[in-house]
């Protein structure tokens, strides 16, 4: 069903990771992602892979779900692997005409593709365990220091959450308009790419008009319910740090320390 | 007793512009309207499309400002910018399109939106949201996405959002127009209960005459003016005037008028089928036939 489409891919279950404060998860994911770029050796993975596995196990999200995130970057993954494998200079293992495979190339291919994989499946754990609402809430809090330099943080977060609310509605409306235009003889399936793009106009124009209407209505409704920006607003479910969140930060610190020592004492 | 709504000589004009942006004509959407509403009343404003009833509604919530005249909500002038939040808190508004007035992605968070804006502390918010959802019978759906609700449920969620602000008055601006008959019934039932049990003033703006039978008072609008007001019985007996306003009588009253035209001496101010039946029984016409 078209109305089942959601942004992100939240996996609904009960776990420690799901219950963590979104701020902790965002900061944690960011640290983890940066940490993946701090090493060029196999050794770093002795820390990174166990850490990822530990978090995934705690989150109770099936591994296959995180792997789904790799689909869109699959081509890129293959491409970088091939480039690294064949175009790195060093000790030659195999030579087949102009194709040369070196030890260094092999190592680099493995290091770089592992990094890419861990990066993407790591990030997907964040979106799998955090609802879009919690994400926007977390981002609003994390960026709130920027309010001091007059960045409208609350307003941006409000816009994000309204966009999330209206995406399914607009998708449904697109379906309705497409059906209406098809009934009037419009054709979206055949013809050259250019022709098909041209045929999209009868969808986008009514969709755009309706979106503007909805925005006007919503603005009235928000006014009527006393919305006047972020100042003085309270929250039904405010974010609080708990013991769980401190524990999570501690685990993150352990991981970073482990990574440091592994890099230092294992040369490969 | 202080009136909850007091409108004096209200005029609202807007300019219709042509494609070059020049003023083509001035339209008087609301024309010298005077009306007063007692706290706790159930009032209906009836009118066909373009009769100015929605423009009038937007004045009650300070979404529009009068061109002439004054609007007082609970004694506060809507033109007083300092009292703006207070006025909007007093008179909550439910709009026509159920989708376009829900702000949050979870039902309970949407209900909390109004009081959050008013700065109600978190501990009190929970109770308010809980009570409001119970009052409109949506407590079971509190964790759902609004997209999963039916039209009638969405409108009840919007009503809960107003209750959570502890509003004294609810304005339904054609809030039932986009609903199916079941949803319409649910919404009307919900506001009727709130009116009877919590003594919340209800201002129902509609073009469906069936919906106004329970009202204490009805105002009928035509081309921006209030042309008729009174109890449902008084209003329903003015068939010609109502038809001139582009409104159709409910079935019971229409049948009564039909019978009267055929020479039967029945009362034409019947409000429901049940009343019509009693009336017919009273004059010796039974189910068996005339």
């Amino acid at each position: 069903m078209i109305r089942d489409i959601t942004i992100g891919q939240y996996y609904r279950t009960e776990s420690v990771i799901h219950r963590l404060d979104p701020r902790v998860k965002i900061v944690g994911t960011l640290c983890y992602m940066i940490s993946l770029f701090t090493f060029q050796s196999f050794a770093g993975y002795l820390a990174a892979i166990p850490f990822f596995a530990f978090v995934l196990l705690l989150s109770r999200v099936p591994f296959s779900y995180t792997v789904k995130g790799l689909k869109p970057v699959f081509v890129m993954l293959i491409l970088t692997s091939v480039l690294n494998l064949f175009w790195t200079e060093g000790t030659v293992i195999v030579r087949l005409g102009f194709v040369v495979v070196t030890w260094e190339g092999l190592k680099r291919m493995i290091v770089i593709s592992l990094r890419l994989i861990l990066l993407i499946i790591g990030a997907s754990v964040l979106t799998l365990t955090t609802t879009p609402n919690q994400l926007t809430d977390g981002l609003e809090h994390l960026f709130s220091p920027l309010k001091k330099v007059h960045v409208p943080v609350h307003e941006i977060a409000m816009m994000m959450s309204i966009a999330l609310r209206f995406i399914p509605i607009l998708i449904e409306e697109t379906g309705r308009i497409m059906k209406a235009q098809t009934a009037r003889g419009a054709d979206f399936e055949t013809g050259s790419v250019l022709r098909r793009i041209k045929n999209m106009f009868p969808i986008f124009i009514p969709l755009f008009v309706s979106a503007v209407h909805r925005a006007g209505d919503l603005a009235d409704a928000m006014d009527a319910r006393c919305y006047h920006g972020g100042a003085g607003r309270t929250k039904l479910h405010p974010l609080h740090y708990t013991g769980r969140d401190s524990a999570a930060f501690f685990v993150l610190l352990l991981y970073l320390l482990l990574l440091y020592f592994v890099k230092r004492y294992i040369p490969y | 007793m202080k009136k909850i709504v007091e409108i004096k000589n209200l005029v609202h004009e807007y300019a219709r512009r042509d494609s070059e942006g020049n003023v083509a004509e001035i339209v008087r959407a609301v024309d010298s309207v005077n009306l007063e509403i007692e706290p706790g009343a159930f009032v209906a404003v009836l009118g066909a499309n373009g009769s100015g009833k929605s423009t009038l509604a937007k004045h009650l919530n300070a979404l529009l400002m009068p061109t002439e005249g004054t609007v007082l909500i609970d004694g506060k002038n809507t033109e007083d910018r300092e009292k703006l939040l207070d006025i909007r808190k007093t008179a909550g508004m439910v709009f026509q399109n159920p989708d376009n007035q829900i702000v949050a992605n979870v039902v309970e968070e949407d209900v909390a939106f109004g009081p959050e804006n008013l700065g109600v502390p978190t501990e009190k918010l929970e109770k308010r949201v809980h009570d409001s959802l119970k009052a409109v019978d949506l407590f079971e759906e509190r964790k759902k996405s609004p997209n999963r609700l039916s039209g009638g449920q969405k409108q009840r969620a919007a009503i809960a959002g107003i209750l959570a602000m502890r509003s004294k008055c609810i304005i339904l601006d054609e809030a039932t127009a986009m609903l199916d008959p079941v949803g319409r019934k649910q919404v009307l039932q919900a506001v009727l209960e709130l009116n009877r049990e919590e003594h919340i003033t209800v201002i129902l703006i509609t073009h469906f005459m069936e919906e106004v039978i329970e009202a204490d008072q009805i105002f009928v609008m035509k081309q921006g003016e209030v042309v008729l007001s009174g109890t449902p019985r008084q209003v329903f007996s003015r068939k010609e005037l109502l038809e001139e306003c582009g409104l159709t009588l409910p079935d019971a009253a229409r049948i009564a008028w039909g019978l009267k035209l055929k020479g039967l001496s029945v009362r034409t101010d019947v409000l429901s089928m049940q009343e019509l039946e009693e009336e017919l029984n009273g004059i010796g016409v039974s189910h068996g036939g005339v």
Side-chain angles (χ1 to χ4, degrees), chain A residues 15-36:
Chain A
S15 83
V16 191
I17 304 290
H18 282 75
R19 271 178 277 144
L20 277 183
D21 190 293
R23 289 170 289 185
V24 177
K25 285 190 266 189
I26 294 168
V27 171
T29 309
L30 212 65
C31 285
Y32 163 79
M33 288 170 91
I34 294 168
S35 79
L36 288 176

Side-chain angles (χ1 to χ4, degrees), chain A residues 3-4 133 158 161-162 164-166 168-169 213-214 217-218 220-229 231-238, chain B residues 58 61 63 85 88-89 95 99-106 108-110 112-114 116-120 122 125-126 147-148 161 165:
Chain A
R3 61 158 51 190
D4 287 328
N133 291 328
M158 181 57 96
S161 100
I162 288 173
L164 284 170
R165 149 121 184 80
F166 277 89
I169 295 174
H213 267 285
R214 284 181 192 279
D217 279 4
L218 186 72
D220 268 353
M222 288 171 75
D223 264 345
R225 290 213 265 158
C226 304
Y227 182 71
H228 55 283
R233 261 192 79 140
T234 47
K235 285 236 137 202
L236 178 62
H237 301 303
Chain B
K58 287 197 168 124
N61 199 264
L63 289 171
L85 285 185
R88 288 183 173 158
K89 188 194 139 199
F95 295 85
D99 279 322
N100 296 356
Q101 57 185 314
I102 295 177
V103 183
N105 293 292
V106 183
E108 61 174 3
E109 282 178 20
D110 188 70
F113 183 73
E116 280 178 347
N117 289 331
L118 295 168
V120 175
T122 304
L125 265 175
E126 266 170 47
N147 294 331
R148 307 242 161 225
M165 290 195 290

Side-chain angles (χ1 to χ4, degrees), chain B residues 57 76 121 169-170 220 233 277:
Chain B
K76 292 174 267 284
C169 175
I170 298 181
V220 181
R233 227 173 271 285
E277 206 180 313

Side-chain angles (χ1 to χ4, degrees), chain A residues 29 38 59 66 74 82 114 132-133 138 171 187 196 204 222 228 247:
Chain A
T29 309
T38 57
S59 76
T66 60
F74 191 68
V82 168
L114 257 181
N133 291 328
I171 289 174
D187 179 11
R196 271 193 249 178
F204 286 123
M222 288 171 75
H228 55 283

Side-chain angles (χ1 to χ4, degrees), chain B residues 28-31 48-52 221-227 244-245:
Chain B
R28 257 189 187 216
V30 174
D31 196 357
N49 288 339
S51 61
M221 288 188 73
K222 184 192 167 196
Q223 288 169 352
E225 286 177 77
V226 173
V227 289
E244 250 176 67
C245 296

